[in-house]
Amino acid sequence: MSPLDQKILQHFPGLVVRKDLTKGLKQNAVVPTYVLEYLLGQHCATDDNEVIKAGLESVQKILAKHYVHRNQAQLVKSTIKEKGRHKVIDKLTVELNDKGGFYEAEFTNLGLKKVPVSDDFVRRYPKLLVGGIWCITDVTYEVAEDPKASPWQIDTLKPIQVASVDYDQFLTARAQFTTEEWMDVLMQSMGFNPEMFGRRAKMLTLIRLIPYCERNYNLLELGPKGTGKSHIYAEFSPHGMLISGSEVTAPKLFVSNSSGKIGLVGYWDCVCFDEFAGKDKKVDKALVDIMKNYMANRTFSRGIEQLTAEASMVFMGNTKKSVAYMLKHSHFFEPLPDKYIDSAFLDRIHAYNPGWEVAPIRHDLFTNGYGFVVDFIAEVLKHLRTEDFTGAYKQHFEVASEVSTRDQTGFEKTFSGLMKILFPDGKCTPVETEELLAFSMESRRRVREHILRIDDTFKRHDFIYRPLSGGAPVTVLTPEEIQYPTFAGQRTQQAVNGEPGPEVHEDIPPAAEPSPATPTTAVADEPQPGHVVIPENTKGWSYRRLFAKHLTGARSITICDPYVRMFFQARNLMEFLQMVHDLVPEGDEVTVHLRTQSDPDSCVKQAENLDQIADSFAGSRIAFTWEDDPSPNFHARNITTDTGWKITIDRGMDIFQRYETGPFSLAQAMQEARLTRGAEITYFKV
């Protein structure tokens, strides 16, 4: 176990589970994650392998014996009849029989309908009435004298959920973890391996939890397929409902005027619309109007009566166009159905999460470590809905620009949600507060900037905050504005070029070409001293973009990097040398020498890899050599040329996150398609 796993078990005994156990069971049982982890938490919440093994067998037996598969429904019914009683795990939905004045349950997999259910169960678990709940239920069978009566009866009913949460104890345990450790705990609880995510990537993932802990929070996330956008809303909490965006109706979502039955927003903390994007989706304009009112005021009407609800709205959909294309030709709302591309509706979105920055789901992204039983953290997040941290940043910062009320509400609700998730006790440093505030303002700015592209009646303004302790005001820009200033607009171009105005939150690379689309022009320019900041989780970067101008014309290049040891680091070196090879005119030759260090655990393989690289370039335009430098103070990473340039790189050439490989992987074939790790590069003449 990792030190973090040991710490989780120490401070949250009985409330954690090894996440790979859930994944293993999930392959054989079509039940939500919180159902499996409820059972695993009762039998496998330990680090004792023997106990885990025995507990896993118990859970498998329980599922095998009591979970109802649709194709075995008749067999289970026969078992209940023969035994008179049998415990089943199934999803129950309850409806009121208007004429009889009693409630009737329907078993999703078992197929039983109109089974009488006690009023007491319905009062205790009202979500039975909307969407249904997974339960462990004792079902009995007895032929009744009245032929119209159901022979099936529900004797006991227990929702699969944590019985209670000691919130004060939770806060005490949370205080034992650093911020970085706590982010990793939450990532593991969501099923992800935190080592595979940078800090920004973790923030982009954790923002998906805000709808569970913030009332009436409206989140939009559009991105490529396969990034796990809807995973959190389908599996993470019994308080969330995932529905298809094209299947929802006004009565189902809000209220049926004919029956008076309250819809999903009245019973669930979070309603997620999956597959929300798509021009071919049929959309009811009346539903859009009702949603606009609800998202702004938390109210909807039943006739002349106004009703309120607290459910957050999440909209998830796929994009097919690149970020640069949407910036140049349209806007980030372009994939949505036309009736939802309504500035009044979009202005109610509190945050736009850039799904294109999220890596596609791969096997190595999942964790084998310990995380919370998801139902426990779901109950904690539900409790946090009663807290309010919207103004917590005001003791350190003030908003220095004239933002609209909706903009301020948007980023303050995002800030409040992130505070609840990461700092539920409200205690964080000014630096941590600034990180959350800047991220929250960026998430809302993305909404505002692209509303301006479809409705010029909205007022333009910047998102600026100022430290109360002194210092220059900071303008928050989105990463895509910084990366593609030409496409983002002249106003952004002026801000990032340092013209009169407040300080910019991010740096635009002065030594790189304006965009990946124009590398030839950029290489032709004279190289200049400068500093480049590569934002984390962005695309469009390559070795050619970063180094070509400063390496063109060199006949001798020296690379100093003590960490060219692992296979992926050798692969990075190979791609760098390929780029240099392309810069060398036919008939010329460039010598490239690498100074690195070996690792006792990998030195043999390291030498093999580097020797293979040297052999592969033999007879080409590159003469590659390398040496193992044992100097104890060898830490700096840089590139020097015989033309007088020195390029310092804080990460060396390791600027890309891991990506999916294979013969049809665009990321493998083209560096610009890879997500970056945060890095800084400085160019200067020696």
Side-chain angles (χ1 to χ4, degrees), residues 222-325:
L222 301 178
K225 293 190 293 185
T227 56
K229 293 185 291 294
S230 60
H231 165 73
I232 295 302
Y233 307 103
E235 304 288 345
F236 190 75
S237 171
H239 303 302
M241 170 62 73
L242 180 71
I243 57 177
S244 171
S246 60
E247 292 179 357
V248 70
T249 61
K252 180 179 179 180
L253 189 59
F254 294 105
V255 64
S256 170
N257 286 330
S258 60
S259 66
K261 183 179 178 181
I262 302 298
L264 298 173
V265 297
Y267 293 91
W268 299 94
D269 291 346
C270 170
V271 178
C272 177
F273 300 83
D274 195 18
E275 304 297 337
F276 187 67
K279 293 297 185 184
D280 57 342
K281 299 289 177 64
K282 295 181 180 179
V283 179
D284 182 0
K285 184 63 171 67
L287 174 62
V288 178
D289 293 335
I290 297 172
M291 289 179 67
K292 282 193 289 189
N293 186 62
Y294 173 76
M295 291 165 66
N297 307 313
R298 303 188 300 175
T299 62
F300 54 96
S301 63
R302 179 177 64 189
I304 61 173
E305 182 183 6
Q306 288 289 322
L307 303 174
T308 61
E310 299 180 354
S312 296
M313 295 280 197
V314 180
F315 306 95
M316 294 284 175
N318 297 327
T319 57
K320 297 181 180 179
K321 305 294 186 182
S322 68
V323 174
Y325 181 92

Side-chain angles (χ1 to χ4, degrees), residues 167-216:
Y167 185 67
D168 292 333
Q169 185 177 358
F170 166 78
L171 291 181
T172 301
R174 160 64 184 97
Q176 307 305 311
F177 294 79
T178 65
T179 302
E180 193 65 40
E181 287 175 335
W182 188 247
M183 291 179 78
D184 290 352
V185 168
L186 293 172
M187 290 295 290
Q188 289 191 178
S189 297
M190 297 166 76
F192 296 116
N193 180 0
E195 294 181 1
M196 302 300 298
F197 293 77
R199 191 175 180 90
R200 178 173 172 84
K202 293 175 186 176
M203 294 285 285
L204 294 172
T205 304
L206 294 176
I207 194 176
R208 295 170 175 171
L209 297 180
I210 296 180
Y212 289 117
C213 65
E214 188 73 20
R215 292 169 174 164
N216 301 99

